[in-house]
Amino acid sequence: GAVVSQHPSWVICKSGTSVKIECRSLDFQATTMFWYRQFPKQSLMLMATSNEGSKATYEQGVEKDKFLINHASLTLSTLTVTSAHPEDSSFYICSAQGGAYEQYFGPGTRLTVT
Amino acid sequence: QQPVQSPQAVILREGEDAVINCSSSKALYSVHWYRQKHGEAPVFLMILLKGGEQKGHEKISASFNEKKQQSSLYLTASQLSYSGTYFCGTPGDSSYKLIFGSGTRLLVRP
């Protein structure tokens, strides 16, 4: 149980284009999902909290107009990186919250912007 | 504020024990522990709650210190599969958000 999927697993795009990443909880409903980014050999940095049916809450320093989050259902949250630039290249990971506030992570999406 | 983990890295022989610490500037009422293998997403290991209750992995345990500003993760009789980076997560400005520590790299050798 508690399986979270992410799609795509990796993506290469050109500077200026937009990329959408999907996060799905496969066998449970998640009213709350989280989006993180992780640079090599560094910790997980929380970008935003995604709540089903309401606007996402962004962490300080994260541009909400650049990283668009939509939590359309209890099993799906999407992160769209708009007008991507090389500095946006990173490992993006989503997680879905369980009943005891534990988090189940998706396999991650490696984004490379050329 | 990001919790501080120690040690930064540790190398063990298979079967040896290890302790990983997670320190906060404020008292904690819960600590989450996760393990991440290279190129993969973190995997939930366990939650330690303020009353000492633990939920998660059978072969891994954790505790708080007296002031509940530090949690220690105990790995006993380590196996090769225990290798990876361990992160602790402590509640942020709301109970459902986690702030992750800097990580502890663990390598278990045969």
Side-chain angles (χ1 to χ4, degrees):
Chain A
V3 178
V4 177
S5 70
Q6 257 182 266
H7 177 80
S9 55
W10 62 274
V11 56
I12 301 173
C13 69
K14 291 188 175 181
S15 187
T17 62
S18 295
V19 174
K20 179 186 281 189
I21 302 170
E22 292 186 350
C23 177
R24 294 181 184 272
S25 56
L26 298 184
D27 52 2
F28 68 106
Q29 293 182 331
T31 54
T32 302
M33 291 184 173
F34 303 93
W35 287 95
Y36 297 85
R37 64 188 298 182
Q38 185 178 36
F39 293 106
K41 298 185 180 180
Q42 293 189 21
S43 186
L44 299 146
M45 299 304 297
L46 179 64
M47 298 175 65
T49 302
S50 171
N51 293 296
E52 187 268 337
S54 63
K55 291 183 179 180
T57 304
Y58 291 82
E59 295 300 299
Q60 193 172 10
V62 177
E63 299 176 59
K64 61 180 180 181
D65 294 331
K66 180 169 183 63
F67 298 99
L68 302 179
I69 292 172
N70 186 295
H71 196 148
S73 74
L74 288 172
T75 59
L76 173 64
S77 176
T78 61
L79 168 69
T80 301
V81 183
T82 63
S83 187
H85 289 96
E87 57 266 30
D88 298 324
S89 299
S90 188
F91 191 47
Y92 291 86
I93 311 174
C94 72
S95 71
Q97 190 173 65
Y101 298 111
E102 73 276 23
Q103 293 187 26
Y104 299 99
F105 287 87
T109 296
R110 193 161 300 282
L111 171 64
T112 301
V113 185
T114 60
Chain B
Q1 190 173 3
Q2 185 180 36
V4 177
Q5 288 185 233
S6 63
Q8 287 184 311
V10 60
I11 299 176
L12 300 174
R13 292 282 183 192
E14 195 173 6
E16 292 181 337
D17 302 338
V19 180
I20 299 172
N21 300 306
C22 175
S23 297
S24 172
S25 58
K26 58 181 182 179
L28 301 166
Y29 53 88
S30 69
V31 176
H32 297 221
W33 287 96
Y34 295 81
R35 178 173 59 219
Q36 184 179 30
K37 293 186 179 287
H38 181 68
E40 300 178 9
V43 173
F44 169 70
L45 294 178
M46 66 175 307
I47 294 177
L48 176 65
L49 302 174
K50 64 179 178 180
E53 313 93 279
Q54 300 179 33
K55 298 183 180 182
H57 206 286
E58 292 181 355
K59 295 186 178 181
I60 296 175
S61 63
S63 68
F64 281 118
N65 72 345
E66 194 175 293
K67 293 184 178 180
K68 289 190 169 54
Q69 286 184 276
Q70 177 174 294
S71 172
S72 297
L73 183 73
Y74 304 98
L75 305 173
T76 57
S78 60
Q79 304 172 16
L80 298 177
S81 61
Y82 286 10
S83 294
T85 301
Y86 288 75
F87 292 100
C88 66
T90 57
D93 52 13
S94 64
S95 60
Y96 57 85
K97 291 199 305 187
L98 293 178
I99 307 299
F100 286 92
S102 48
T104 296
R105 292 188 187 181
L106 177 74
L107 175 62
V108 181
R109 290 179 171 170

